[in-house]
C-alpha cells in the first residue's frame, strides 16, 4: 500500500474532475462505453439507458434510475445507497470498527467536534462502500430535518477493502462531508467520504460542496431553514464513487439480521428498525 502514500492524489483527483465534467462528444461516449463494459454496469436500470445521451461522464455516473427500480422497504431504516456493507454494528465508546485490527473515533470522523460526537457514544454505525459500477446517488435512510453540514478537508486515499485494512483511520483521514440530521428518534449523521479520483460531492440543498477545497473546515447551519427530507428522498451524490458512514445514538437502532460485512445491498432495502416511541 506504499503507493497510496506516494501517489499525487489531490492532483489526480482534480484532473479526473475536469475530465469527468468535459463535454467531449464522441470521446465522452467512448469513455462511458469502455467504463460500462469494464465494470459491467447494468444500463437497463437507468432512466436513460442510451449512453450516447450523456453529455459528460459525470452525467452518466450520477445517472437516475427508472421509476420503481429501487422500491422503498417498509422499515424504520432503509439502505441509503447501492454498494456493499464494509462494517456495521455497535460503537465502542467513541470507537468505530474500520476493518479487523483498525478502529477510529467518532470525534475524528465528524471533524473534531466532541459535542457532536458524544451524541453517538456507544451508539451504532454502518459503513457502505460504493464500487464504480454502483448507482451513485445517496438517499435518506429515514425522515430527517437538516441541522448542519460540514466539509472537512483531508487525504484522498482509495476506500476499497484493501486500503481499509491497511490505512489507519482511513474514513477519518479522507476528505468528507458530514450531514447532521434530527429524526423522529433523535439525531443521526450521514458522512460522505471522498477518495482518490472522487471529483466532488454534492447535496440537494447546497449543490456541489467540493471543490472549492480551501484546506480548512467549512460549516453551514440549517436549523432556521426547515430543510426536511423524507425517507427515500435523494440527499446527495458522488461525482465518482466512495463510501457512506452512518451514525446513530445508543439504543436507537436494531440492524437487520442480514446486515454484515461484505453483504451486497441496494438503496431502499431494509437496514434496521427503531424502537417503538414511548407514549407521553
Amino acid at each position: 500500500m506504499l503507493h497510496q502514500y506516494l501517489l499525487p492524489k489531490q492532483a489526480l483527483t482534480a484532473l479526473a474532475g475536469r475530465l469527468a465534467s468535459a463535454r467531449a462528444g464522441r470521446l465522452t461516449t467512448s469513455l462511458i462505453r469502455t467504463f460500462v463494459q469494464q465494470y459491467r454496469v447494468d444500463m437497463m436500470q437507468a432512466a436513460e439507458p442510451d449512453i450516447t445521451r450523456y453529455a459528460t461522464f459525470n452525467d452518466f455516473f450520477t445517472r437516475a434510475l427508472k421509476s420503481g427500480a429501487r422500491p422503498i422497504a417498509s422499515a424504520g431504516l432503509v439502505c441509503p445507497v447501492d454498494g456493499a456493507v464494509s462494517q456495521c454494528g455497535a460503537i465502542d465508546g467513541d470507537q468505530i470498527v474500520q476493518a479487523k485490527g483498525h478502529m477510529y473515533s467518532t470525534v475524528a470522523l465528524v471533524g473534531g467536534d466532541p459535542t457532536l460526537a458524544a451524541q453517538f457514544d456507544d451508539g451504532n454505525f454502518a459503513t457502505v462502500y460504493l464500487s464504480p459500477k454502483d448507482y451513485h446517488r445517496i438517499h435518506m435512510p429515514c425522515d430527517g430535518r437538516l441541522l448542519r453540514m460540514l466539509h472537512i478537508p483531508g487525504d484522498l486515499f482509495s476506500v476499497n477493502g484493501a486500503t481499509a485494512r491497511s490505512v489507519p483511520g482511513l474514513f477519518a483521514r479522507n476528505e468528507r462531508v458530514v450531514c447532521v440530521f434530527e429524526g423522529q428518534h433523535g439525531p443521526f449523521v450521514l458522512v460522505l467520504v471522498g477518495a482518490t479520483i472522487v471529483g466532488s460531492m454534492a447535496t440537494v440543498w447546497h449543490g456541489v460542496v467540493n471543490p472549492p477545497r480551501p484546506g480548512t473546515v467549512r460549516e453551514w447551519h440549517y436549523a432556521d431553514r426547515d430543510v426536511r427530507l423524507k425517507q427515500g428522498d435523494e440527499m446527495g451524490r458522488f461525482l465518482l464513487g466512495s463510501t457512506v458512514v452512518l451514525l446513530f445514538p445508543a439504543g436507537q437502532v436494531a440492524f437487520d439480521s442480514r446486515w454484515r460485512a461484505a453483504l451486497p445491498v441496494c438503496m431502499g432495502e431494509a437496514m434496521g428498525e427503531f424502537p417503538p416511541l414511548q407514549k407521553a
Side-chain angles (χ1 to χ4, degrees), residues 257-275:
S257 60
R258 299 178 306 110
W259 269 58
R260 63 189 183 280
L263 176 73
V265 290
C266 286
M267 191 283 288
E269 291 183 358
M271 183 170 73
E273 294 290 351
F274 291 113

Side-chain angles (χ1 to χ4, degrees), residues 75-78 119-120 123-124 141-145 147 181-189 228 231 247-254 272-279:
L77 281 173
V78 298
Q119 298 179 76
F120 306 101
N124 289 279
C142 58
D143 295 355
R145 181 171 69 92
L147 301 179
F181 293 92
E182 181 69 30
Q184 188 177 18
H185 295 266
F188 63 96
V189 165
R228 296 176 185 268
Q231 184 183 60
L247 303 179
F248 301 99
Q252 291 300 306
V253 171
E273 294 290 351
F274 291 113
L277 288 171
Q278 299 294 320
K279 294 183 178 179

Side-chain angles (χ1 to χ4, degrees), residues 18-277:
R18 288 195 293 271
L19 292 174
S21 61
R23 295 175 177 268
R26 291 180 180 178
L27 181 60
T28 293
T29 300
S30 178
L31 177 61
I32 294 170
R33 180 176 292 109
T34 299
F35 188 95
V36 168
Q37 293 171 348
Q38 176 70 29
Y39 292 104
R40 299 181 181 179
V41 178
D42 183 3
M43 292 303 296
M44 296 311 297
Q45 293 191 12
E48 177 50 79
D50 182 356
I51 64 171
T52 67
R53 301 294 296 274
Y54 294 99
T56 70
F57 186 84
N58 273 339
D59 290 346
F60 154 73
F61 201 80
T62 59
R63 62 196 176 276
L65 297 180
K66 288 180 179 177
S67 177
R70 295 292 184 274
I72 305 301
S74 178
L77 281 173
V78 298
C79 184
V81 292
D82 283 11
V85 178
S86 177
Q87 297 287 336
C88 70
I91 300 170
D92 184 5
D94 71 345
Q95 295 293 299
I96 302 173
V97 176
Q98 174 177 299
K100 186 176 181 180
H102 290 286
M103 309 284 284
Y104 64 99
S105 74
T106 54
V107 176
L109 179 67
V110 301
D113 184 336
T115 302
L116 173 59
Q119 298 179 76
F120 306 101
D121 285 354
D122 296 311
N124 289 279
F125 79 97
T127 306
V128 184
Y129 167 69
L130 290 74
S131 73
K133 69 176 178 61
D134 289 320
Y135 169 64
H136 276 80
R137 298 191 184 193
I138 307 153
H139 295 252
M140 292 292 288
C142 58
D143 295 355
R145 181 171 69 92
L146 181 67
L147 301 179
R148 298 167 63 191
M149 180 176 75
L150 301 93
H151 171 236
I152 302 166
D155 290 317
L156 289 168
F157 288 101
S158 169
V159 290
N160 61 29
T163 311
R165 291 188 293 271
S166 61
V167 176
L170 173 64
F171 302 126
R173 292 175 66 167
N174 270 14
E175 180 180 24
R176 55 206 179 276
V177 174
V178 178
C179 304
V180 184
F181 293 92
E182 181 69 30
Q184 188 177 18
H185 295 266
F188 63 96
V189 165
L190 274 77
V191 183
L192 285 56
V193 183
T196 311
I197 312 298
V198 176
S200 63
M201 293 170 276
T203 64
V204 296
W205 58 83
H206 181 91
V208 173
V209 179
N210 61 313
R213 292 183 169 93
T216 58
V217 174
R218 294 182 292 154
E219 183 172 0
W220 297 263
H221 292 266
Y222 296 91
D224 61 347
R225 290 181 49 185
D226 200 32
V227 179
R228 296 176 185 268
L229 297 170
K230 303 293 288 183
Q231 184 183 60
D233 285 352
E234 181 185 344
M235 60 78 61
R237 59 185 67 177
F238 288 113
L239 280 71
L240 301 179
S242 193
T243 291
V244 172
V245 182
L246 300 98
L247 303 179
F248 301 99
Q252 291 300 306
V253 171
F255 284 113
D256 188 287
S257 60
R258 299 178 306 110
W259 269 58
R260 63 189 183 280
L263 176 73
V265 290
C266 286
M267 191 283 288
E269 291 183 358
M271 183 170 73
E273 294 290 351
F274 291 113
L277 288 171

